[in-house]
Structures are given as structure tokens and as C-alpha cells.
Amino acid sequence: KQWYQRRVLALQKKRRANKGKNKKPPMTAKDEKRKEREEFEEDDSEVEDSEEEQEDTEDYKKGGYHPVKISDVYNNRYVVLRKLGWGHFSTVWLARDSRTKAYTAVKVVKSASQYTETAIDEIKLLTK
């Protein structure tokens, strides 16, 4: 019993002596963003990146796709983390809501008027 008490006291003394020595400094906003990007980066060995699976870069022009980059911020709130996919009239991006810390999808529609009308119809449908 005495041996156990001495061991407990020795461990408590050691913890007090080491208190604060191994603490990591608080993460900065830059560190948090880097960590989020790392979490969502894809391993090239697992994902095949073929020409057929990507939108045509020539469609990034007036009336076409809007260029989006990782770390872009939309509406002073949504931080772009990675592309989820693309379709005939938009690209879809994984983003982090900087207010709620929730993950969300951001759909960026081509800028030609016919795509805007289609997007408005989609919004009406989804808000019913």
C-alpha cells in the first residue's frame, strides 16, 4: 500500500513539473485553413484525373464558368476547400461556413443569361 502511495505521489510530482511543457501553441487562422485543406486534398493514386472528367478550360470566359480558386471567400463567409464536380451550367465546390464552421456546397453558375434563368428556377424549386 505504501509503495502505491509513493508511486502516485511521484507521478503527481512529475505531472506538475511537466505541466505546460508539452502544450501546443494555439492554432492561428492560417494554420486552421491549412489543416482544412490538407484534410480534403485528394491522393492522386486514388483518384484518376482524366480529360473527360474535367470541364473544358476554354469555357472559362464571359458567359461561361467563373474561375474559382481554393481559399476564395464568397459572401464574406464561405471559404472554398475543393471542387466537388461540374455540370453543363455550373461547378460545385466544397466550402466551410466561417460563421457556423459547417461544411456546405457552393454552386457557381455560368454567367450567360440562360444559365442564370435556370439557376433561379432551381432555387425556386429547392425553396418550396
Side-chain angles (χ1 to χ4, degrees), residues 13-94:
K13 183 178 179 182
K14 186 177 181 180
R15 283 188 191 138
R16 281 192 300 271
N18 289 330
K19 191 174 184 178
K21 287 184 179 178
N22 293 327
K23 283 189 178 179
K24 293 180 181 178
M27 288 183 71
T28 64
K30 186 177 178 180
D31 292 335
E32 287 180 12
K33 285 181 183 179
R34 187 182 73 241
K35 184 177 178 184
E36 284 178 0
R37 279 195 304 271
E38 288 171 358
E39 288 175 3
F40 289 98
E41 285 179 352
E42 295 177 345
D43 181 5
D44 289 339
S45 64
E46 293 179 17
V47 178
E48 187 177 322
D49 186 23
S50 72
E51 291 290 324
E52 297 170 3
E53 294 178 14
Q54 297 298 317
E55 65 274 24
D56 191 346
T57 55
E58 292 179 10
D59 286 338
Y60 281 88
K61 60 184 179 185
K62 187 173 182 177
Y65 293 115
H66 176 77
V68 176
K69 297 185 299 280
I70 304 301
S71 299
D72 280 355
V73 179
Y74 288 89
N75 204 25
N76 291 322
R77 182 173 182 175
Y78 302 101
V79 181
V80 175
L81 301 175
R82 68 179 283 258
K83 184 165 61 171
L84 294 173
W86 63 280
H88 176 68
F89 77 104
S90 65
T91 54
V92 180
W93 299 82
L94 177 66

